[in-house]
Amino acid sequence: MDPSTRGPLVRPFPGLRYVPSVAGPLASLLAPPHTELDRASRRALLASSPYVVTHLERPEYDPGPGRAVTRWSAQGALVQDAPGFYVVRQEQEGRSQHFLLGQLDVRVGDDRVHAHEGVFQQAVEARLERLEATGVDSEPVLVVDSHPWPVPWTDPSTVGHLLDVADDDLRHVEVWGLHDPDVVARLSSASASHRFLIADGHHRHAAVLRAAQRDGAPRSLLVAVADDTTEPVDLRALHRIVPRAVAEEVLRRAHRRRDVDDEDVTALRGAIEGLGLDQALVVTGSSAAVIDCPPMVGPTTGSGAWVDSVALSLGTASSETRYRADVEGMMRPPEDRGAVFLPKPQIGALQEMVRRGQVLGRKTTSFRPKPLAGTVLRLR
């Protein structure tokens, strides 16, 4: 079926935004994606303001009568706009990225939206419970789009109006509203023929998809679209730090191995750059080797999934694995640990993989930059 005959993929929505005179400066209310906060950072944010967006992640973070988002609106801390799209411009570490915020219609069987990583089923259930309890999308799911748009939304000053600005020592954020009826109509109509690759937020998308399956009707989700044709995102592998016994078992079960001088950092970097989809570089305290992994059975593919399956077969808890995108900090793992380096993914290869019905293992990729939580909220 022609994708354009199935209706818009993203639609305008009536966004909720902070009212600075009540809630405080926007810069003090935003937060990194919730999954990137450690316990100390989360505690600090929750203590920093009664309206910081992190309170909306879980109902227990803002206990009280009813939903926090409803109470905040009644207190005048949030204002709801007329339906429209939004563009968020984030500038951080010398890089600027624009995201188009819209409402994604999540339908069972809609092959225009593809996940590229597997999910933890228990985490999907927990995420759905939290979304329905809080009643709000407090951060968007990041999707990557590789199809041109008829409206130049990455230059929002030509199609929208500036709503909010947040400045601090770390970043500059602008929130633009796109509410012109012609702009909204053109974006909605054009989205019907687009295809999105989920970059970050697989568990939230899977949770809403599960709700659509349960209810027998489409559900919706706040997404941030990154236009890879004009502002390519940075895509990295998520490598693994695993218990030493897991690393040694990975080496033992590999189809083939090619030893690399573990004292030669240049050789190690070269080995990582040359990895194929089903290869990995394993570094322990006494050796390093490039391995060829056995093929996986089923839709899951790639060396990350196979390494995780080895860890699972040994009874290793998932909490024993640490995930890191930086290579340099992993070259010398502690004596009781091993480092497993995965191949650098490419957007085109991921898109081709998902078209074949395959996915990578859980937590295999890292897309940067990610949209901040709290710029625009969406009621569920």
Side-chain angles (χ1 to χ4, degrees):
M1 179 185 293
D2 182 352
S4 64
T5 65
R6 285 179 281 181
L9 193 53
V10 287
R11 300 178 187 272
F13 69 101
L16 280 176
R17 293 182 296 109
Y18 282 110
V19 178
S21 61
V22 178
L26 181 61
S28 67
L29 306 171
L30 305 180
H34 299 318
T35 55
E36 299 201 346
L37 294 174
D38 58 27
R39 291 182 180 179
S41 299
R42 183 174 282 105
R43 282 197 300 268
L45 279 168
L46 291 172
S48 67
S49 166
Y51 295 117
V52 71
V53 68
T54 310
H55 287 283
L56 300 177
E57 179 189 354
R58 297 171 183 247
E60 60 266 30
Y61 290 165
D62 196 324
R67 291 170 167 168
V69 68
T70 304
R71 283 185 273 113
W72 292 8
S73 296
Q75 293 161 4
L78 298 172
V79 62
Q80 189 166 37
D81 297 323
F85 290 102
Y86 299 84
V87 172
V88 173
R89 175 177 175 258
Q90 291 180 195
E91 186 174 344
Q92 190 171 358
E93 298 179 351
R95 173 172 180 165
S96 178
Q97 185 82 38
H98 294 82
F99 301 104
L100 176 68
L101 269 58
Q103 175 178 295
L104 175 72
D105 287 344
V106 180
R107 299 181 177 90
V108 177
D110 192 338
D111 62 359
R112 295 175 295 176
V113 182
H114 290 284
H116 78 276
E117 288 184 346
V119 293
F120 296 97
Q121 294 305 319
Q122 186 175 3
V124 171
E125 294 288 352
R127 177 63 70 175
L128 178 57
E129 183 178 338
R130 290 201 295 270
L131 285 174
E132 294 184 334
T134 60
V136 64
D137 288 333
S138 57
E139 66 172 305
V141 167
L142 174 61
V143 299
V144 175
D145 180 39
S146 299
H147 191 77
W149 291 83
V151 175
W153 57 261
T154 53
D155 185 5
S157 63
T158 64
V159 292
H161 51 287
L162 185 62
L163 297 172
D164 298 305
V165 176
D167 265 312
D168 58 25
D169 294 337
L170 298 177
R171 61 201 174 218
H172 173 81
V173 179
E174 298 171 0
V175 180
W176 293 77
L178 278 58
H179 291 91
D180 179 87
D182 179 63
V183 170
V184 169
R186 291 172 66 194
L187 285 172
S188 298
S189 176
S191 74
S193 60
H194 284 232
R195 294 181 183 274
F196 293 161
L197 182 75
I198 298 174
D200 186 65
H202 282 83
H203 286 90
R204 276 172 285 150
H205 177 264
V208 175
L209 181 59
R210 182 164 298 180
Q213 293 169 328
R214 178 196 65 196
D215 301 341
R219 298 294 296 270
S220 55
L221 182 68
L222 178 63
V223 294
V225 181
D227 185 352
D228 197 54
T229 66
T230 59
E231 294 178 344
V233 292
D234 182 20
L235 175 55
R236 304 179 187 181
L238 271 182
H239 310 294
R240 278 110 167 95
I241 297 287
V242 298
R244 178 73 175 265
V246 173
E248 291 175 346
E249 186 66 10
V250 165
L251 288 170
R252 190 186 72 80
R253 295 191 195 180
H255 264 185
R256 284 175 293 276
R257 62 178 284 175
R258 173 176 61 84
D259 290 336
V260 180
D261 184 355
D262 65 324
E263 297 295 330
D264 187 341
V265 174
T266 301
L268 292 174
R269 290 197 192 103
I272 295 169
E273 292 173 1
L275 292 174
L277 177 64
D278 295 311
Q279 293 182 314
L281 172 68
V282 183
V283 179
T284 66
S286 58
S287 67
V290 172
I291 63 168
D292 290 347
C293 304
M296 298 286 292
V297 177
T300 306
T301 189
S303 53
W306 181 77
V307 169
D308 293 344
S309 72
V310 173
L312 182 63
S313 72
L314 296 178
T316 306
S318 59
S319 59
E320 286 291 303
T321 299
R322 301 289 182 266
Y323 305 91
R324 297 180 61 170
D326 62 306
V327 169
E328 301 302 325
M330 296 175 55
M331 292 290 190
R332 297 286 183 266
E335 280 191 16
D336 63 338
R337 313 287 285 182
V340 181
F341 296 90
L342 304 184
K344 176 178 172 59
Q346 303 292 333
I347 287 286
L350 290 182
Q351 291 168 331
E352 178 60 32
M353 178 193 71
V354 298
R355 280 194 287 269
R356 296 195 303 265
Q358 295 179 302
V359 294
L360 295 176
R362 308 174 184 104
K363 298 182 73 67
T364 301
T365 61
S366 174
F367 285 80
R368 298 288 184 206
K370 297 179 181 179
L372 295 167
T375 55
V376 181
L377 311 176
R378 190 192 77 93
L379 288 175
R380 298 199 56 78

